[in-house]
Amino acid sequence: MEKRRDFIKKSGLIITASLLPFPGNLFSNNQKKLGVALVGLGYYSTDLLAPALQQTDHCELRGIVTGSPEKIPVWQRRYGIKDTNVYNYKNMHEIANNDDIDVIYIVLPTGLHAKYAIIAANTGKHVWCEKPMARTAEECRQIIDACKKNGVKLSIGYRMQHETNTQTIMKWAETKPYGKIQHVISEAGYNGGTINPWKLEKDMGGGAIYDMGVYSINAARYSTGLEPVGVSATQSTRRPEIFDEVDETTTFKLEFPEGIIVDGKTSFGENLNNLEVTCENGWYYLRPMQSYSGVRGKTSDGKILAPMGKNQQAVQMDDDALAIINNKPVLVPGEDGLKDIAIVEKINESAALGGKRLSL
């Protein structure tokens, strides 16, 4: 593809976007949209990603992969999906032959991410994978390797890193407008509502530390701009009859270079949605810090971080689509997801050892 683009540039040919193959004419304002296939039609795809795709500028919903035949006519009526763009888990590898689809988005239980992300990569399509990236760091590496082998881009669905106020926090980790960062509190969790049954199964990557904890861990990393060097953690449950395989609540401490300490917490039994950063000369926070909308904050000198008006998932998918179209690095690559899961594994290990401090 790069050789073809170079040829076009050097020859000075003017070709309309309709004559160019994917990814289209990069010089045209009428850029071809990328076709996205959603793998898994549960709550997140149904209530959030599919509606968000109707608000994107650079991608659109064109395909589905599902093991529930009864969902197919509903999705086809709602989104105009062609029969040829409907797949199940046994034949999704055939997407390799479908020019309508450019991106395969894995939206399955965490324990299934590696299997189907690798199948997706082997089709030669670009891969978007929901967070948490996978159940183990080794599975994350397998996904990364499969995407590299097939020459496709891999992006992890950390929508917060595409959100305006979160990006401000990330920038401040570099510029330090309030002086050296000293302490961070990073908390994400919820109480009430129905918990999807697979989130209670260890083999599926269930538990608060995977589902909500990666928000706390990822925020700890992007709010400091550093990687942790030590961790200690404890886990508990108030409802052992429900949480007999996985954690209900995890409390952890991450040690970062420069003496920075991050106190983290995640839970299925407590409402938590807070990121606080204390510095030498002031402080700032996001509260809520990981809601689907309304992320807002404040600083010690009175600055107000007002909520972003755009749909977070739409912004995320457009950013990832543009990275593909323009052949630029994605904002949240597989390596970022891998780092979080490596920390999750150490947190679980520390908790199993009674809170022992472990090096990272």
Side-chain angles (χ1 to χ4, degrees):
M1 184 61 71
E2 290 303 318
K3 291 181 179 179
R4 177 172 172 76
R5 288 178 189 160
D6 290 342
F7 171 77
I8 292 171
K9 290 179 183 178
K10 291 176 182 177
S11 64
L13 295 176
I14 300 175
I15 304 177
T16 63
S18 62
L19 296 179
L20 275 174
F22 165 79
N25 185 355
L26 301 184
F27 310 106
S28 171
N29 291 326
N30 298 318
Q31 173 65 53
K32 173 188 170 183
K33 290 188 174 184
L34 303 187
V36 177
L38 296 176
V39 181
L41 305 183
Y43 160 74
Y44 199 71
S45 284
T46 302
D47 290 8
L48 294 163
L49 292 178
L53 278 162
Q54 311 314 303
Q55 301 181 44
T56 55
D57 295 322
H58 304 288
C59 48
E60 60 188 10
L61 176 59
R62 293 205 194 127
I64 54 175
V65 180
T66 181
S68 304
E70 71 278 5
K71 295 182 180 180
I72 295 171
V74 177
W75 280 70
Q76 288 190 301
R77 284 194 302 269
R78 186 173 297 166
Y79 298 111
I81 296 170
K82 299 188 294 187
D83 290 343
T84 52
N85 292 354
V86 175
Y87 297 87
N88 58 52
Y89 298 116
K90 293 182 179 180
N91 68 7
M92 70 172 278
H93 62 278
E94 295 176 6
I95 294 176
N97 304 314
N98 190 333
D99 292 338
D100 279 349
I101 296 172
D102 306 300
V103 177
I104 298 176
Y105 197 154
I106 308 301
V107 201
L108 292 165
T110 305
L112 300 175
H113 282 186
K115 177 179 179 179
Y116 290 99
I118 291 169
I119 292 173
N122 288 337
T123 68
K125 308 297 183 178
H126 300 287
V127 180
W128 296 346
C129 182
E130 253 315 300
K131 50 65 55 187
M133 183 176 174
R135 196 172 62 85
T136 67
E138 177 55 33
E139 288 181 347
C140 293
R141 294 185 189 96
Q142 291 171 6
I143 296 171
I144 293 169
D145 290 346
C147 289
K148 288 181 177 179
K149 176 183 176 182
N150 288 281
V152 300
K153 289 189 181 294
L154 168 63
S155 183
I156 311 304
Y158 280 100
R159 59 190 166 81
M160 301 321 306
Q161 292 200 35
H162 300 261
E163 191 273 330
T164 303
N165 290 330
T166 304
Q167 291 183 337
T168 295
I169 298 299
M170 295 167 69
K171 179 181 178 182
W172 287 350
E174 297 179 3
T175 61
K176 296 181 175 56
Y178 298 90
K180 182 178 179 293
I181 295 172
Q182 297 175 328
H183 182 248
V184 176
I185 297 174
S186 185
E187 303 171 315
Y190 61 87
N191 183 26
T194 302
I195 298 177
N196 197 309
W198 71 261
K199 294 184 180 181
L200 302 175
E201 299 178 19
K202 183 176 181 180
D203 288 345
M204 281 290 100
I209 189 61
Y210 280 98
D211 187 52
M212 300 301 292
V214 289
Y215 285 116
S216 302
I217 294 167
N218 202 247
R221 294 176 49 239
Y222 63 62
S223 65
T224 61
L226 300 169
E227 300 299 332
V229 295
V231 61
S232 57
T234 59
Q235 294 177 330
S236 62
T237 178
R238 292 184 295 105
R239 298 172 287 178
E241 72 279 6
I242 298 174
F243 296 92
D244 58 347
E245 291 188 21
V246 299
D247 63 304
E248 181 180 15
T249 298
T250 296
T251 302
F252 59 90
K253 186 183 296 290
L254 293 175
E255 303 167 16
F256 284 80
E258 303 176 15
I260 300 170
I261 297 296
V262 175
D263 285 310
K265 189 174 185 180
T266 185
S267 181
F268 280 154
E270 188 176 347
N271 291 319
L272 303 166
N273 207 335
N274 182 42
L275 177 63
E276 301 178 18
V277 182
T278 301
C279 308
E280 281 182 309
N281 305 317
W283 50 260
Y284 44 90
Y285 66 75
L286 292 181
R287 195 180 300 136
M289 69 96 156
Q290 50 79 21
S291 295
Y292 292 140
S293 63
V295 173
R296 66 186 73 221
K298 188 177 180 180
T299 70
S300 55
D301 56 352
K303 291 186 178 68
I304 301 297
L305 302 178
M308 179 176 74
K310 298 179 180 179
N311 180 289
Q312 292 175 8
Q313 286 86 357
V315 172
Q316 169 200 321
M317 290 187 284
D318 265 344
D319 285 348
D320 289 340
L322 283 171
I324 294 169
I325 291 166
N326 297 319
N327 195 25
K328 300 290 186 181
V330 300
L331 186 58
V332 190
E335 288 77 8
D336 204 9
L338 164 62
K339 289 175 182 177
D340 283 347
I341 298 304
I343 295 170
V344 166
E345 290 187 302
K346 285 291 186 179
I347 286 173
N348 285 337
E349 183 181 351
S350 172
L353 295 171
K356 180 180 178 181
R357 187 224 182 249
L358 299 175
S359 295
L360 288 165

